[in-house]
Amino acid sequence: MKEILQDLSFAEIGELVAETGEKRFRAAQLYHGLMQGKRISDISDLPKGYKAKLLERFEDEPVKIVETLRASDGTEKYLFELSDGNLIEGVFMQYKYGNTQCVSTQVGCRMNCAFCASGLGGLVRNLTAGEILSEILVVNALHGGTLQKRAVTNVVLMGSGEPLDNYENTVKFLRNVSAEGGIGISPRNISLSTCGLVPKMYQLAEEGLPVNLTVSLHSPSDAERERIMPVARAYKIAEILKACDYYFGKTGRRYIFEYSLIEGENADREHAEALAALLKGRPCHVNLIRLNEVKEKALSGASEKAAYRFLGVLEKAGVSATLRRRTGADIGGACGQLRAGRLKQE
Ligand code: SAH
């Protein structure tokens, strides 16, 4: 694999242009072309000879869409191919207030949660910062977005992979995606979801990047959480809550818990009551979602009735919570499902 030009910040592209003896204004032309989601070979204001030189060292199209699925609710799901042939996926969801893109941070995942399709084949490799960014650049361009008027307004790091297990590249991506003059998506419009890697949560709090921190909790009890999330053996819920409070102290950002309701595992009234007791009075919000069933996993989503009962218990206790629609459920919206399906066909 060649290098990924989209890994570089504007300042680094400036250095590259200077090193190669090109005129300084070429840096802005190159950067703007890339941020518009163009391939190097398609940036029309650069001389052909210079593009040829760049292409000897850099990938022309690090991330390309090879399949698109459209759901009845307008959600789109993409299968992306990377330069080395690996596959990742992303989702584009349209809301009244803007459009949210869900991006992957790794090929596969090594967290092996019991309900999730992303971990089925383990971790293959980390994405580079520029590959994560390219997922957005490509989709923004696909929907006619420009740098002045973006089609992608919000980003969630909730695709395949554990962002804090690919820490350096994820933080670099966060800096580049929010940089002024680029696509410029503010950290406040970005949510980073983690299964709860406590030391990295503390590290993230120090980066000066006030992204919305989201933690996949899925249970109010350590013992039950361990059954569905192996990572829970390493980090206990009390430590996670402490790290969340630290993050809140540093960034002033309310934190969010993801809670996927699984029948017979974590969706009973007792679970809701224990969760309410745990979270009451904290500056947090709970996103409930009924599990999207994954063929390869023997777990079912809780019924709609159980989900509303769960929500009611939280609300009654004064814990802020919403039950999310299963956007794109008819196209296999959950993490890793599209890729898992494709790998099976091959
Ligand atoms: N590794 C990160 C981010 C990726 S997963 C994390 O663990 O948070 C994004 C969210 O989707 C997580 O809350 C994850 O637990 C949840 N998820 C995974 N598979 C799911 C499924 N089949 N149905 C519902 N939610 C699922």
Side-chain angles (χ1 to χ4, degrees), residues 115 158-159 161-162 193-195 216 218 258 260 291-292 294 334-335:
F115 45 82
M158 293 191 186
E162 166 50 47
S193 185
T194 176
C195 58
S216 300
H218 304 327
E258 294 289 321
S260 302
L291 187 82
N292 264 310
V294 172
C335 308

Side-chain angles (χ1 to χ4, degrees), residues 129-174:
E131 286 175 325
I132 306 172
L133 179 61
S134 293
E135 294 176 57
I136 296 168
L137 300 178
V138 164
V139 170
N140 188 54
L142 179 74
H143 287 273
T146 60
L147 297 188
Q148 285 73 37
K149 199 170 180 329
R150 291 182 297 269
V152 177
T153 53
N154 298 270
V155 172
V156 295
L157 277 64
M158 293 191 186
S160 294
E162 166 50 47
L164 297 186
D165 187 41
N166 181 15
Y167 188 86
E168 299 301 326
N169 293 342
T170 295
V171 166
K172 184 160 195 219
F173 155 74
L174 292 173

Side-chain angles (χ1 to χ4, degrees), residues 43-289:
I43 304 178
S44 53
D45 44 6
L46 288 178
K48 275 212 178 84
Y50 185 45
K51 287 192 277 193
K53 215 158 96 186
L54 286 169
L55 287 170
E56 285 169 17
R57 179 168 160 196
F58 296 103
E59 292 293 348
D60 197 23
E61 195 179 22
V63 170
K64 68 171 176 247
I65 297 176
V66 291
E67 191 180 334
T68 303
L69 298 179
R70 279 187 195 86
S72 46
D73 59 15
T75 300
E76 289 186 359
K77 178 145 196 175
Y78 314 103
L79 189 67
F80 297 111
E81 190 179 304
L82 307 175
S83 332
D84 61 359
N86 270 307
L87 299 171
I88 53 167
E89 49 194 278
V91 185
F92 181 77
M93 292 158 283
Q94 312 193 37
Y95 298 102
K96 280 194 211 86
Y97 59 82
N99 302 322
T100 299
Q101 189 179 346
C102 173
V103 298
S104 293
T105 53
Q106 295 179 316
V107 181
C109 184
R110 60 189 181 121
M111 297 302 148
N112 202 21
C113 296
F115 45 82
C116 180
S118 297
L120 285 169
L123 175 67
V124 178
R125 72 167 172 89
N126 285 329
L127 298 191
T128 76
E131 286 175 325
I132 306 172
L133 179 61
S134 293
E135 294 176 57
I136 296 168
L137 300 178
V138 164
V139 170
N140 188 54
L142 179 74
H143 287 273
T146 60
L147 297 188
Q148 285 73 37
K149 199 170 180 329
R150 291 182 297 269
V152 177
T153 53
N154 298 270
V155 172
V156 295
L157 277 64
M158 293 191 186
S160 294
E162 166 50 47
L164 297 186
D165 187 41
N166 181 15
Y167 188 86
E168 299 301 326
N169 293 342
T170 295
V171 166
K172 184 160 195 219
F173 155 74
L174 292 173
R175 293 200 196 290
N176 289 349
V177 76
S178 56
E180 242 176 82
I183 187 152
I185 299 174
S186 152
R188 287 164 201 286
N189 294 333
I190 302 176
S191 297
L192 183 152
S193 185
T194 176
C195 58
L197 302 184
V198 168
K200 300 289 182 198
M201 290 164 67
Y202 282 104
Q203 207 177 331
L204 186 68
E206 309 298 339
E207 299 284 355
L209 284 164
V211 295
N212 304 301
L213 180 64
T214 302
V215 179
S216 300
L217 200 58
H218 304 327
S219 176
S221 110
D222 284 320
E224 289 190 8
R225 194 166 182 262
E226 282 177 30
R227 282 218 307 255
I228 48 176
M229 299 179 74
V231 68
R233 288 181 215 136
Y235 304 111
K236 302 297 163 213
I237 293 169
E239 297 172 64
I240 290 176
L241 295 180
K242 226 169 120 186
C244 287
D245 284 333
Y246 185 82
Y247 191 84
F248 176 74
K250 278 278 166 180
T251 62
R253 308 293 289 164
R254 182 171 82 143
Y255 44 88
I256 297 154
F257 293 111
E258 294 289 321
Y259 199 107
S260 302
L261 294 160
I262 309 170
E263 190 178 272
E265 283 290 334
N266 65 0
D268 295 342
R269 175 179 290 281
E270 299 75 64
H271 293 106
E273 284 166 355
L275 186 67
L278 192 68
L279 301 183
K280 206 171 154 60
R282 292 181 177 272
C284 71
H285 179 80
V286 180
N287 269 329
L288 298 170
I289 188 165

